[in-house]
Amino acid sequence: MASIEKPFEEILQDGINCVRAGKLDEAMPHYDAALQAAQTSQQTIETLLCISALNRHQGLYDAAAEYYDRAMQLAPSVGDNVINSILAVAVNEEGNIKLTQKNYPGALVDFTTAFERISQTDYDSTTVLRRQIYANNLGLAHRLTGNLDQSAQFYGRAAGFALGPDGDRREGSRTLHELGNLAIDQGLFHVAAGRLQRSLDLKEQVGDERGQWFVLDSIAVLAARSGNTEAAAQLFPHTTNAPNVNPLPHHREWREKAMTAIGFTPVDNFTADPEQAKAVAARILSEMILGMSRPASTLVPKNLGASETPQL
């Protein structure tokens, strides 16, 4: 349930997270709360544009136009720098919706525009967080469209923002997770193990319980893809039945492909236990890392130099 006791940025992000999870109907209460919590014209405009994008993709075109017009009526009250930030938020939200629709080329275009817009704004803590988020989004979109080298480049940029004085550790844990998934796709399983371990540790430190389940799910995929089918079969029942976890279509399909490859059938009515799941994941990662035979240079993805290797 949305609450205006939380800061505006958190409330707005709650709505965006609902969109990213494909729960479009659940996003509006958070956006309504964000409108109540907004204290500046910029915050109001950002929320109105997010609502406009949501309504448009729900087929509510008249409502979408109404919210867009309300946003544009406020636009003259803010400067060009703010306008760039606002438009970045709006087009990034369009990309999030296209991601849920599996329109990955379209999401790539929107995420590129969002990153370019936010890069034109003045440097402050809010802008840094959004640059992290948008760089991560671009890394994901490039990965989903098969551009793995470009994906590594943008995850590297996200890591660079995370390492700065205003970097966000929660979003940094996402970067490590995404880099782990990228390494799995590249067949660099030992590299993936190290990144996923660091992501899981960081998510525990920042209290991101839901995020931990997503990393555990990737570790199960890692086990399946690397031939550790027994461990994968032990972990998947937990990650596929984790509470309040609804992966985006691309992750769900990625996981299902790995499960099918090892002949695993999802288990219904299974009670997921985070401690048991972490114990299985710890065995998978320790066996993978301790058995690592690859040279250290393979820990750095293509186009990401050793000096840029994220140590979040």
Side-chain angles (χ1 to χ4, degrees):
M1 184 174 180
S3 170
I4 60 173
E5 295 179 358
K6 298 169 66 175
F8 166 81
E9 287 288 346
E10 290 187 20
I11 300 172
L12 183 66
Q13 191 61 46
D14 286 341
I16 291 172
N17 288 341
C18 286
V19 171
R20 283 184 59 85
K23 301 177 180 179
L24 301 188
D25 293 337
E26 297 181 21
M28 194 61 198
H30 296 289
Y31 288 153
D32 282 337
L35 282 177
Q36 296 179 54
Q39 297 180 343
T40 66
S41 295
Q42 176 180 351
Q43 292 176 342
T44 300
I45 294 171
E46 289 175 355
T47 308
L48 289 171
L49 289 175
C50 285
I51 296 172
S52 178
L54 174 66
N55 284 336
R56 183 162 55 257
H57 287 278
Q58 289 177 315
L60 305 174
Y61 301 113
D62 290 341
E66 178 184 342
Y67 280 106
Y68 183 84
D69 288 343
R70 285 174 59 185
M72 291 302 100
Q73 288 170 8
L74 291 172
S77 65
V78 297
D80 290 342
N81 181 67
V82 174
I83 286 294
N84 275 324
S85 177
I86 290 168
L87 291 176
V89 171
V91 75
N92 182 71
E93 188 63 1
E94 291 281 354
N96 280 330
I97 292 173
K98 289 175 183 174
L99 204 61
T100 68
Q101 298 170 336
K102 299 193 288 187
N103 179 3
Y104 304 135
L108 177 59
V109 171
D110 288 338
F111 290 149
T112 299
T113 302
F115 188 77
E116 291 172 348
R117 286 280 186 182
I118 204 66
S119 297
Q120 295 170 14
T121 61
D122 291 341
Y123 196 90
D124 58 32
S125 58
T126 299
T127 300
V128 173
L129 173 58
R130 289 181 178 170
R131 288 179 183 179
Q132 276 186 257
I133 293 172
Y134 299 169
N136 275 330
N137 288 349
L138 262 177
L140 176 60
H142 276 295
R143 174 182 159 228
L144 295 177
T145 52
N147 305 316
L148 300 190
D149 288 349
Q150 285 286 90
S151 177
Q153 285 185 359
F154 279 101
Y155 286 142
R157 296 185 73 172
F161 295 131
L163 292 168
D166 295 313
D168 184 86
R169 297 174 74 227
R170 188 185 186 98
E171 191 65 20
S173 72
R174 178 193 169 196
T175 303
L176 288 167
H177 181 198
E178 296 285 7
L179 278 166
N181 290 345
L182 174 63
I184 293 174
D185 285 351
Q186 292 172 316
L188 302 174
F189 301 134
H190 299 87
V191 178
R195 292 173 180 168
L196 294 176
Q197 178 69 74
R198 286 156 57 200
S199 176
L200 187 61
D201 291 344
L202 190 52
K203 286 185 181 296
E204 288 181 344
Q205 291 172 24
V206 300
D208 186 1
E209 295 182 4
R210 184 170 179 267
Q212 290 175 49
W213 278 117
F214 283 112
V215 178
L216 290 168
D217 204 33
S218 290
I219 294 170
V221 172
L222 170 63
R225 293 276 296 272
S226 63
N228 193 349
T229 57
E230 181 178 352
Q234 292 175 356
L235 188 51
F236 274 133
H238 292 280
T239 61
T240 55
N241 289 278
N244 302 316
V245 176
N246 183 29
L248 287 170
H250 73 267
H251 184 91
R252 197 159 48 242
E253 291 178 356
W254 187 64
R255 176 179 68 189
E256 289 172 355
K257 185 176 180 180
M259 291 192 299
T260 299
I262 65 171
F264 176 81
T265 302
V267 180
D268 294 327
N269 301 318
F270 183 91
T271 302
D273 185 311
E275 296 309 315
Q276 290 182 15
K278 288 178 183 179
V280 176
R283 291 199 305 272
I284 293 169
L285 294 176
S286 64
E287 290 173 6
M288 183 73 67
I289 294 171
L290 291 175
M292 184 168 58
S293 60
R294 295 176 184 270
S297 61
T298 63
L299 292 174
V300 184
K302 292 180 180 178
N303 297 317
L304 182 61
S307 63
E308 300 173 279
T309 303
Q311 302 289 335
L312 306 174

